Amino acid sequence: SAATDSVHTASTKEDSLNPISDPLVTDIYTADPSAHVFNGKLYIYPSHDIEAGIPQNDNGDHFDMRDYHILSMDSVSGSVKDNGIALNIKDIPWAGRQLWAPDAAYANKTYYLYFPVKDKQDIFRIGVAKSDSPTGPFKAEPTPIEGSFSIDPAVFADSDGKHYMYFGGIWGGQLQRWRSGKYDVNSKEPDSNEVALSPKVARLSKDMLHFDEKVRDVQILDKDGKPLLAGDHNRRFFEASWLHKYDGKYYFSYSTGDTHYIVYAIGDSPYGPFTYQGVILKPVIGWTNHHSIVQFKGKWYLFYHDSSLSGGKTHLRSVKVTELTHRPNGTIETVSAYK
Ligand code: FUB
C-alpha cells in the first residue's frame, strides 16, 4: 500500500525528515510508551529495546527485549529521569523470551506493572508485578494472569475506580491463534471480506491480579455500524491498544500495524462498541507505531516512538512526546511526527 511504501521510503531517507520532537532519553533505546500521572508526576512505562542480533521477521523475533526501565518527568519540557531496571526477565519465573509493551496502574496503595512475555512454550501471556513505588523495583507474580493471552496490555482506570485491561495483537502478537478460544498454532487471520479480529477487554478484580469476568471482544464499527473487515488494513486493529476518556466519551486507539497508523474510535462505554473516527498519528520512521494518550496539568499529550535516533532500525526505537488536540466536536487533530 502507499502507506507501507512511504514508511519504507522514510526509513531509508530519515535525514530528510525533521522530527517534531526529540527522544526523551538517548543513552538507551525505548519504545511503546505507556504514560500515566501518579502523585502529580509523569511516569512513562516503555519497552527497552536492545540489539539482540536476531534477524527481522513477521513474528517480531528481532524484538528480543529483556528488562524494563521506567522514565519520570516533573514537566513535559523538563528533564527526564531513567530510574534504572524495574523488572528483569530472569526474575519472572514463567517467562521465556520477548518482554514487549508494558503498562501500569495504581490501586490498593500499590503500583502494578502489566507486561506481555512469551512463556516457556513460546506462547505470549500477560503477567503482573507489584511495587510500593511507581518506578519499582517490581516483583512478578509466580504465574501469568489466568485467562490472559497475546500482547500489549493497556489498563484504563475509569472515574468510578474500576480498572479494565485491553490487550491483543495479531501476527507476532499471536491473537489469530486464539480464534477458537484455545491456542492453535495453525489458526490464521480471517479472510479479507470477513470481520477483522477484535482486540480484547476484561475488567480487573479489586486485587488487580486477575480478570474479574470472561474476556470480551472490543467491537470496532464503521460509521454505518458495520464491524471493520480484516481486509481493511488502513483501519482494522493490529496491536497497541489504549483507552482514554474525554468529555464523558471513551476513546479506544490502536495501531493498524502493516499500514503503520495510530487510529481511534469513540464509544459510550469502556466495553464499546467503538465507532471508527480517523488517524491520530501518521506513520513514523520504523515499522511499528505505538502510543499512549494522557492528560497532564490541563493539557493532553501523545507519547509515541520512532526509529530516527538509530537511523531507521525498526527494533531500536526512542520514545517521544508531543501535544494532542481534541477539537470542540471531540475529534482529534492528526499528528505528523515530521515537519
Ligand atoms: O515492542 C514490541 C512490540 O512492537 C509491541 O508489543 C508492539 O506494540 C510493537 O510496538
Side-chain angles (χ1 to χ4, degrees), residues 4 10 17 19 23 43 70 81 104 106 108 123 132 144 153 157 179 213-214 217 225 263-264 283 303 322 339:
T4 310
L17 295 172
Y43 294 90
I70 293 153
K81 185 172 177 203
Y106 176 73
N108 314 318
I123 300 174
D132 293 337
R179 286 178 73 184
E213 59 183 1
K214 205 168 155 264
D217 282 342
V263 299
Y264 74 110
F303 284 80
T322 189
K339 286 178 198 138

Side-chain angles (χ1 to χ4, degrees), residues 18 35 60 63 107 120 127 157 166 180-181 194 208 211 225 227-228 232 243 269 294 297 302 308 324 335:
N18 194 359
F63 296 107
K120 299 195 194 294
Y166 301 83
S180 68
E194 292 181 311
M208 302 291 279
F211 293 153
L228 297 185
D232 190 352
L243 199 290
S269 142
V294 71
K297 297 184 176 164
L302 174 72
S308 54
L324 188 77
V335 173

Side-chain angles (χ1 to χ4, degrees), residues 31-32 47 49 63 65 100-101 151-152 239-240 288-290 305 317:
D32 312 321
S47 301
D49 283 353
F63 296 107
M65 295 87 97
W100 283 13
I151 59 164
D152 291 2
E239 62 187 2
T288 66
N289 204 348
H290 192 128
H305 68 220
R317 302 160 291 182

Side-chain angles (χ1 to χ4, degrees), residues 4-17 284-287 307-308 311-314:
T4 310
D5 293 340
S6 71
V7 84
H8 287 160
T9 308
S11 57
T12 54
K13 285 193 187 158
E14 68 280 356
D15 290 348
S16 62
L17 295 172
V284 295
I285 294 171
W287 198 95
S307 298
S308 54
K313 290 203 179 83
T314 252

Side-chain angles (χ1 to χ4, degrees), residues 79-322:
S79 61
V80 181
K81 185 172 177 203
D82 173 351
N83 294 280
I85 296 178
L87 179 65
N88 193 306
I89 196 166
K90 69 176 170 42
D91 298 320
I92 304 168
W94 53 274
R97 60 178 182 141
Q98 295 176 316
L99 211 42
W100 283 13
D103 195 15
Y106 176 73
N108 314 318
K109 301 200 175 111
T110 303
Y111 294 89
Y112 299 88
L113 180 69
Y114 297 93
F115 55 88
V117 69
K118 282 182 177 164
D119 66 14
K120 299 195 194 294
Q121 286 72 47
D122 232 28
I123 300 174
F124 267 117
R125 305 276 180 185
I126 295 168
V128 54
K130 296 193 284 190
S131 176
D132 293 337
S133 156
T135 54
F138 285 86
K139 183 159 174 35
E141 292 292 296
T143 51
I145 295 175
E146 203 184 328
S148 73
F149 53 92
S150 198
I151 59 164
D152 291 2
V155 175
F156 166 67
D158 207 348
S159 345
D160 61 4
K162 291 184 177 136
H163 289 83
Y164 300 85
M165 182 187 287
Y166 301 83
F167 62 96
I170 61 175
W171 295 18
Q174 303 180 339
L175 191 60
Q176 68 281 356
R177 298 182 180 178
W178 291 91
R179 286 178 73 184
S180 68
K182 291 211 175 79
Y183 185 79
D184 173 1
V185 74
N186 296 313
S187 178
K188 304 268 181 286
E189 283 179 79
D191 286 341
S192 317
N193 55 357
E194 292 181 311
V195 173
L197 288 174
S198 300
K200 307 294 173 197
V201 61
R203 197 181 59 244
L204 292 176
S205 56
K206 286 219 170 71
D207 70 6
M208 302 291 279
L209 304 177
H210 303 95
F211 293 153
D212 211 16
E213 59 183 1
K214 205 168 155 264
V215 170
R216 309 179 191 206
D217 282 342
V218 174
Q219 268 202 312
I220 307 170
L221 310 175
D222 66 16
K223 293 248 158 86
D224 298 323
K226 297 203 186 83
L228 297 185
L229 300 183
D232 190 352
H233 289 215
N234 281 330
R235 300 193 297 174
R236 64 94 170 84
F237 173 79
F238 190 100
E239 62 187 2
S241 295
W242 190 258
L243 199 290
H244 75 281
K245 200 173 178 181
Y246 178 82
D247 209 10
K249 299 269 188 202
Y250 296 84
Y251 287 61
F252 179 74
S253 48
Y254 56 96
S255 169
T256 63
D258 57 340
T259 50
H260 316 285
Y261 296 108
I262 298 296
V263 299
Y264 74 110
I266 298 181
D268 292 317
S269 142
Y271 294 116
F274 297 95
T275 303
Y276 181 88
Q277 303 292 323
V279 174
I280 291 180
L281 177 63
K282 291 184 186 169
V284 295
I285 294 171
W287 198 95
T288 66
N289 204 348
H290 192 128
H291 71 302
S292 66
I293 293 167
V294 71
Q295 189 178 27
F296 184 57
K297 297 184 176 164
K299 289 186 170 177
W300 286 90
Y301 294 96
L302 174 72
F303 284 80
Y304 66 102
H305 68 220
D306 79 357
S307 298
S308 54
L309 182 65
S310 69
K313 290 203 179 83
T314 252
H315 60 293
L316 297 178
R317 302 160 291 182
S318 304
V319 303
K320 300 179 164 192
V321 61
T322 189

